[in-house]
Amino acid sequence: MEKLTILHMQFSGLTGKIPKGISALKNLKAIMLYGNSLTGQVPAELGQMPNLWHITLSENDFTGELPAEAFKNLTNLEKFHIHQTDKEKTGITGKLPSFKENTKLRMLDVSSNAMTGKIPDDFLADSVYKGLDQLMDINLSYNKFTGNIHSSTFKDFSNMKLDLANNKIVKASSFLCQMADELTDWWEGEVGKVIEGGGDGCDAIICPQGTYNTIGRATSQDGGECLECASAKFAGAVTCSGVNEDSREKEILDKLYIATAGDQWSRNASWTGTDVCEYEGIVCSDSGAVTEINVTSFGLKGEIPADIWELPSLRKVVFSSNVVDLSFEGIEKATKLKELIMSDADLTNITGIEKAPPSLVKLEIERNSFEEKKIPVELYSLVTLKSLLIGFNGFSGKSSVTIRWCRKLRLGHVVLNHLRVLLHRVTCHRYRKPRESRRIASKQQ
C-alpha cells in the first residue's frame, strides 16, 4: 500500500471516521471519498501527506472545524472539495482558513456548510496564479460568512468564479466594484457581458443589499438582474420575503400546470388549491419543501418550464408517459437532484444536461423523440450516474463508444437498444482493457 498514489472510493458506502494511520500512505496524491457517510472531523493527519494535490470529501457527514494548521503543510494542494447539498445538516463549522500556504490551490468548494466569520484578509494571498489567466474556482456559498468583500483579496485574479451567495456578507467594497471593468473575464465572461448589457459589473460578482437573485448575483440572461427586495439584509441574497421559497415553489408548479395544459390533465383536481404539498404527484419534506414531482400518465402536453430546476430541495422528477419536452437549462441549480425519469415522452434533445449536479445518480430517458440518432455526447459528462436507461430511441453507435461509457459509470447498468452492434444490456461493474491492450501490457512487463 505504500506505493498507492490515488485512493478513489466515491459512493462506496463508507461509514465511521477516516481511520488513523492514513498518513502512512506517504505517496498518496489524491483522495476522493465523495458521497459516503463518513463522520467526525477532517483529520489533521492529512497534513502529514505532503504529496496530496486533490482532496474530495464532499457529501459526507463531517462536522467540526477544518484543520487549518495541518493544511498549511499541503503545499501541493490544488483541489479541495467538502461541500454539502443537504443543507439540513450542519456540516463544517468554524472559520475559513486563509489557505495562504497552499499556493497552488485553484479549486475550493466549502459550500452548504455552517462556516462563520470574515473571509481572511490574507485569503489565497500567496497564490502562484495571481496575474495569470488560470481559472480560480472558489465556492463559499450557503455558509454564514460575514463582513465585506475586499478588493485586496481578489483583485489580482483575472479569471475567477467566486460564489458568495446566501451568506451574511454586507457588501463588496467600493474599490472592488470600481475594478469590475478589469474583471470582465470573471464567471466565464459574465461580468463583462453584464457590463456590455448596461448592467452593473459589481452586481455580477454579488447582488448588493436590498436586492436578490436566485443565484446571488446578476447574469446577462433575460431576467438575470438583481431584483429589488427591501428585506434583503445581506449581499448575495437568493430569496426575498414576500417572494419566499414557499410562494416561489407554488409559482413554479403553477407555471408547470399552465404550460402543460393542466386543465386537460386526467388527474388535476388538487392542483387548484393553495398548498402545493396537497397537489397530486407532489412529495414534500417534513419542513414543507417540494422534494419530488411524479406526474406519470397525467396527460401533460407541451414543454416543461426550466423553472423546475429552481426548486431548492428537489430530489426526484418523473415525467414519463406524457407528451412533453423538457429544457435542461439551469439544471445545475437543482443541487439535490438524484433521479430524473422521463421515458415514453417527447424529449427531443438533452442539451444542458452535462451541467447536472453530481448528486444525479439515476437517469431514464427511454422511448423519446430525439432528433439526432447518435448517443448524445452530453451523457459522457455524467460520471456520477449509477443507472442509465436510454433504450428504444433508435440510437446508433459502435461498441467502442459503449466501452468508453462503462469506464465512466460507477456501479449499476446501462440499457441500450438499436445500436449498430445490437447491444441490449451492458453491466459496468468492472472495466477491463481491450484484449489487445492487455497483450501489449503483458509483453512490456
Side-chain angles (χ1 to χ4, degrees), residues 153-315:
T153 308
F154 300 105
K155 65 182 179 65
D156 293 324
F157 297 106
S158 60
N159 187 6
M160 175 172 277
K161 293 167 68 174
L162 176 64
D163 196 340
L164 301 166
N166 204 38
N167 281 285
K168 295 185 177 181
I169 293 169
V170 178
K171 65 178 181 178
S173 73
S174 58
F175 294 105
L176 183 63
C177 290
Q178 290 170 9
M179 290 183 59
D181 288 344
E182 302 174 29
L183 305 177
T184 53
D185 287 337
W186 276 33
W187 280 107
E188 298 179 327
E190 274 295 296
V191 173
K193 292 177 183 178
V194 169
I195 294 173
E196 290 174 4
D200 188 331
C202 196
D203 288 2
I205 298 173
I206 188 170
C207 286
Q209 286 177 308
T211 68
Y212 85 104
N213 185 295
T214 55
I215 60 173
R217 57 183 176 83
T219 70
S220 61
Q221 299 176 358
D222 291 340
E225 66 272 13
C226 296
L227 304 174
E228 291 187 8
C229 176
S231 62
K233 298 180 180 180
F234 301 106
V238 297
T239 60
C240 180
S241 57
V243 190
N244 56 37
E245 284 190 3
D246 291 340
S247 61
R248 177 57 179 153
E249 288 188 336
K250 182 175 180 1
E251 179 184 340
I252 291 170
L253 293 178
D254 288 350
K255 186 175 180 179
L256 167 65
Y257 179 85
I258 294 171
T260 57
D263 58 341
Q264 300 176 33
W265 291 4
S266 59
R267 298 154 67 182
N268 63 359
S270 61
W271 279 68
T272 57
T274 57
D275 185 357
V276 297
C277 295
E278 295 297 322
Y279 289 6
E280 185 173 358
I282 299 300
V283 177
C284 293
S285 65
D286 292 340
S287 62
V290 175
T291 60
E292 180 178 333
I293 303 174
N294 188 339
V295 288
T296 302
S297 301
F298 272 37
L300 281 69
K301 299 178 181 178
E303 183 168 346
I304 298 165
D307 299 55
I308 63 166
W309 308 127
E310 296 180 25
L311 293 168
S313 299
L314 189 64
R315 296 176 182 272

Side-chain angles (χ1 to χ4, degrees), residues 3-185:
K3 296 182 179 180
L4 186 68
T5 58
I6 298 176
L7 180 60
H8 190 165
M9 298 187 70
Q10 300 185 146
F11 299 106
S12 297
L14 301 179
T15 59
K17 299 180 180 181
I18 293 179
K20 293 182 179 179
I22 191 171
S23 61
L25 302 175
K26 294 294 184 181
N27 293 308
L28 202 64
K29 295 182 179 180
I31 178 170
M32 291 166 277
L33 304 176
Y34 186 105
N36 287 288
S37 298
L38 295 168
T39 57
Q41 289 186 264
V42 176
E45 194 176 353
L46 292 180
Q48 301 174 32
M49 306 171 72
N51 290 318
L52 281 176
W53 74 275
H54 186 174
I55 303 175
T56 294
L57 305 177
S58 297
E59 300 308 314
N60 280 282
D61 296 318
F62 291 113
T63 54
E65 300 184 15
L66 294 176
E69 286 298 316
F71 269 37
K72 290 181 179 180
N73 299 320
L74 300 180
T75 55
N76 289 307
L77 188 63
E78 296 185 33
K79 302 179 181 182
F80 178 51
H81 303 270
I82 192 165
H83 67 74
Q84 298 283 350
T85 55
D86 190 344
K87 300 180 179 65
E88 296 175 0
K89 297 179 180 178
T90 302
I92 301 300
T93 55
K95 296 183 179 180
L96 179 70
S98 72
F99 295 102
K100 179 181 178 181
E101 289 78 14
N102 309 111
T103 60
K104 299 177 183 178
L105 187 64
R106 54 188 173 85
M107 298 183 71
L108 173 68
D109 190 348
V110 296
S111 61
S112 300
N113 283 287
M115 303 183 75
T116 56
K118 298 180 180 180
I119 296 175
D121 290 338
D122 59 348
F123 182 63
L124 302 175
D126 292 341
S127 173
V128 298
Y129 302 118
K130 286 187 174 183
L132 303 179
D133 194 38
Q134 171 64 49
L135 173 64
M136 300 292 291
D137 194 342
I138 309 297
N139 193 341
L140 310 179
S141 64
Y142 288 87
N143 279 280
K144 300 177 182 179
F145 295 124
T146 57
N148 298 340
I149 307 301
H150 297 292
S151 60
S152 58
T153 308
F154 300 105
K155 65 182 179 65
D156 293 324
F157 297 106
S158 60
N159 187 6
M160 175 172 277
K161 293 167 68 174
L162 176 64
D163 196 340
L164 301 166
N166 204 38
N167 281 285
K168 295 185 177 181
I169 293 169
V170 178
K171 65 178 181 178
S173 73
S174 58
F175 294 105
L176 183 63
C177 290
Q178 290 170 9
M179 290 183 59
D181 288 344
E182 302 174 29
L183 305 177
T184 53
D185 287 337

